[in-house]
Amino acid sequence: MTDIKYDVAGIGNALVDVIANADDKFLIANGIEKGGMTLIDDARADELYGKMSAAVEMSGGSCANTIAGLASLGGKGAFFGKVKQDQLGEVFTHDIRSLGVHFPASPSQEGAPTGRCLIIVTPDAQRSMSTYLGAAQKLTPDDIDEDTIRAAAVTYMEGYLWDEPGAKDAFLKAAKIAHEAGRLVSLTLSDSFCVHRYRDEFRRLAREEVDLLFANEAEILSLYQTDVFDEALQQVRKDCKYAALTRSEQGSVIVANGDVHVVGAERIEKVVDTTGAGDLFAAGFLYGFTRGRDPATCGRLGAMAAGEVISHYGPRPQVSLAELAKAKGLA
């Protein structure tokens, strides 16, 4: 068997986030779905970008944020995503490699530019995303390096990637390789609107392919078409060996081999921007999980990482999560 070289190999959309503040009136005036993610084309991206106030630009993408958080904790990660050989593509590549993440990308020389996610943060700290996938949607099975997947303890994919057939095939290829190598496969549902689009496929994945499922409350309720959290919890216990379900200020519920563990949320002074909260929860959880920590500690690491990222703008940590974990006795 191939030796484990990476804690997590992530597969996701390689994007650059553009983050600006606005009120609910801006969302209504521009037809933006509050609290969700909507796919847009390049013309719509240019239109919205022109209407946004002063913005902060930084590398993002759900799965890439998780891998960045893992690296901040001291974990070893790899990431598969597609960029173009352009300015934003160079920014994304530099940022993720500077964290020590293995990024074996072959940038596109032609076609759509590197993708971007236009994020409006309202005063209640909710983020509403309009995403132009650009080059990210060109990910195919050929972009997946088999040796890297075999060398990763967990292969992790974002549900957003399910919008593109080629990306679906890339994940299914990676999942097959991972399981044949005796590794685990993980999926984050990403967004309740995404779940609505692919509910049947996600439920099949949960039953047949996924060992560790990540979801927030809205996503897991949508997946099992219920308004009662406990009903969804009982369903996911049947479908997955492991699940990590986040419930905002109510903390998280962890399923491990049929057992259920409730973990409190991290206390912070003020929620500034919820962008990246789920991504960083997954980072902390996966860091603990790949080191054999108990389920409650994995949940606490996830809550700590999520608490840090929602205390400032942007989807990636601004302090060393490894040092933060040490200070909290979680190292």
Side-chain angles (χ1 to χ4, degrees):
M1 179 183 289
T2 303
D3 291 338
I4 292 178
K5 185 177 179 180
Y6 306 103
D7 297 308
V8 182
I11 307 172
N13 288 318
L15 304 172
V16 175
D17 289 343
V18 181
I19 306 172
N21 291 313
D23 57 21
D24 286 355
K25 291 181 180 179
F26 181 89
L27 300 181
I28 295 170
N30 289 283
I32 299 172
E33 186 79 44
K34 182 170 181 175
M37 192 283 288
T38 302
L39 293 176
I40 59 175
D41 59 20
D42 55 347
R44 173 69 166 161
D46 289 341
E47 175 195 354
L48 286 179
Y49 184 77
K51 293 180 178 180
M52 293 171 70
S53 61
V56 176
E57 298 183 358
M58 59 188 69
S59 294
S62 175
C63 180
N65 293 336
T66 295
I67 301 300
L70 178 80
S72 183
L73 279 157
K76 189 67 175 176
F79 178 72
F80 295 96
K82 200 76 172 179
V83 297
K84 187 181 181 182
Q85 188 66 51
D86 56 18
Q87 183 176 352
L88 290 183
E90 290 175 2
V91 168
F92 183 93
T93 300
H94 170 270
D95 285 353
I96 199 159
R97 286 180 176 165
S98 71
L99 301 173
V101 174
H102 177 54
F103 181 48
S106 298
S108 301
Q109 301 300 314
E110 56 186 26
T114 297
R116 72 209 72 157
C117 182
L118 308 180
I119 302 173
I120 300 299
V121 180
T122 42
D124 58 2
Q126 280 291 314
R127 81 280 188 272
S128 305
M129 301 175 290
S130 300
T131 303
Y132 170 56
L133 292 175
Q137 64 190 319
K138 301 303 180 182
L139 186 74
T140 71
D142 291 339
D143 294 305
I144 302 300
D145 177 66
E146 296 187 15
D147 289 340
T148 300
I149 297 297
R150 292 191 188 98
V154 177
T155 293
Y156 172 84
M157 191 197 81
E158 63 180 74
Y160 289 132
L161 211 61
W162 213 248
D163 281 303
E164 296 300 324
K168 288 183 183 182
D169 292 340
F171 174 64
L172 293 173
K173 172 186 175 180
K176 184 174 185 293
I177 294 167
H179 280 150
E180 288 176 348
R183 311 305 190 199
L184 298 182
V185 173
S186 181
L187 169 72
T188 176
L189 295 182
S190 295
D191 186 287
S192 58
F193 299 100
C194 188
V195 175
H196 179 74
R197 292 195 296 276
Y198 303 111
R199 181 178 293 111
D200 290 342
E201 292 175 69
F202 282 173
R203 289 185 70 166
R204 183 190 63 77
L205 283 174
R207 289 192 304 269
E208 300 176 8
E209 300 283 355
V210 173
D211 303 294
L212 169 57
L213 183 72
F214 289 91
N216 65 25
E217 185 166 5
E219 293 157 5
I220 202 68
L221 292 178
S222 178
L223 182 67
Y224 292 111
Q225 293 180 286
T226 178
D227 295 325
V228 181
F229 178 79
D230 191 59
E231 291 180 2
L233 174 62
Q234 298 311 317
Q235 285 292 326
V236 80
R237 287 178 70 194
K238 297 176 183 177
D239 287 346
C240 298
K241 187 175 183 179
Y242 303 102
L245 311 177
T246 56
R247 308 186 74 188
S248 300
E249 67 277 1
Q250 296 182 60
S252 62
V253 177
I254 312 302
V255 173
N257 296 308
D259 294 331
V260 176
H261 308 263
V262 178
V263 180
E266 186 80 357
R267 292 185 178 182
I268 62 170
E269 291 185 7
K270 181 182 179 182
V271 177
V272 175
D273 172 17
T274 57
T275 306
D279 305 336
L280 269 294
F281 180 91
F285 189 96
L286 285 165
Y287 176 79
F289 185 81
T290 54
R291 278 157 179 74
R293 306 296 291 273
D294 64 88
T297 300
C298 292
R300 290 181 63 199
L301 282 161
M304 178 206 73
E308 191 282 332
V309 83
I310 65 175
S311 67
H312 57 75
Y313 287 108
R316 297 188 179 179
Q318 292 184 351
V319 302
S320 166
L321 294 182
E323 291 298 321
L324 191 58
K326 184 177 180 181
K328 293 179 177 293
L330 294 172

